[in-house]
Amino acid sequence: MASGSERVVVVGVDDSTHSYHALETALDLFFTPFKSNPQFKLVVLHARLPATSVLGFAGPGTVDIIPLVEQDLDKTADLVKKKCTDVCSAKSVEITSLEVVEGDPRNIMLEAAERHHASVLVLGSHGYGAVKRVFLGSVSDYLAHHAHCSVMIVKKPKAKHASNDKH
């Protein structure tokens, strides 16, 4: 998709506040300052998990549940696309490509970064501790080690408690 002179930012999103924060941060850093002369093309990607991986088990009745899970996953993907479109529209940024691809988010994001010749891959961090990352796997950690482009992992600031603000 990208020629030698095009620079591409690929932003991975799921239905979390962390990923929407990462999208907004990417827009503020790479697009908003250059509205009149965009320096990058924007690719927004949602990796939709397969229904079977969401269920995590196979047994009697699973076949009956899969279509319901598929519907729910499709609805979530539509909501993610709408939210991303709204966020970009609010900042007057045009999305070059908005994609939903089914599969493991690590592989989907890695393949998209390569396919689009990304200059940078932007992801939100869920802020899991070391133990959770071992058991759940960290998409951002995987991509930081395997992507052939720069990877920007955006951490969502923690909310400040009113009790901490003593003036």
Side-chain angles (χ1 to χ4, degrees):
M1 174 184 167
S3 71
S5 63
E6 291 177 325
R7 297 189 305 174
V8 178
V9 174
V10 174
V11 182
V13 292
D14 57 17
D15 191 29
S16 72
T17 58
H18 303 281
S19 69
Y20 296 129
H21 177 71
L23 174 60
E24 289 185 11
T25 300
L27 297 179
D28 291 343
L29 291 174
F30 298 108
F31 295 92
T32 305
F34 309 102
K35 278 185 187 175
S36 61
N37 184 21
Q39 303 293 306
F40 295 90
K41 293 194 178 286
L42 176 62
V43 175
V44 179
L45 181 65
H46 173 64
R48 180 189 170 285
L49 293 172
T52 52
S53 70
V54 172
L55 291 172
F57 66 90
T62 303
V63 174
D64 298 330
I65 297 172
I66 289 177
L68 299 173
V69 174
E70 291 282 352
Q71 281 181 334
D72 190 51
L73 291 170
D74 287 342
K75 186 187 293 185
T76 298
D78 289 342
L79 290 172
V80 168
K81 286 170 49 177
K82 182 180 182 337
K83 173 82 174 176
C84 292
T85 300
D86 291 347
V87 168
C88 291
S89 292
K91 294 186 180 275
S92 302
V93 175
E94 181 183 336
I95 300 173
T96 304
S97 180
L98 178 55
E99 305 171 10
V100 175
V101 181
E102 184 174 305
D104 182 316
R106 291 172 285 222
N107 298 331
I108 298 300
M109 297 297 168
L110 191 60
E111 290 166 5
E114 291 173 7
R115 184 174 69 251
H116 291 287
H117 307 287
S119 301
V120 65
L121 177 59
V122 180
L123 305 156
S125 170
H126 286 247
Y128 296 143
V131 174
K132 269 193 176 177
R133 279 196 313 269
V134 168
F135 288 106
L136 297 176
S138 170
V139 173
S140 57
D141 186 59
Y142 177 86
L143 292 168
H145 288 90
H146 293 89
H148 296 292
C149 63
S150 295
V151 177
M152 185 170 96
I153 302 167
V154 180
K155 294 174 89 173
K156 190 169 190 280
K158 293 186 181 195
K160 293 182 180 178
H161 298 288
S163 62
N164 290 344
D165 294 336
K166 295 179 184 175
H167 294 275

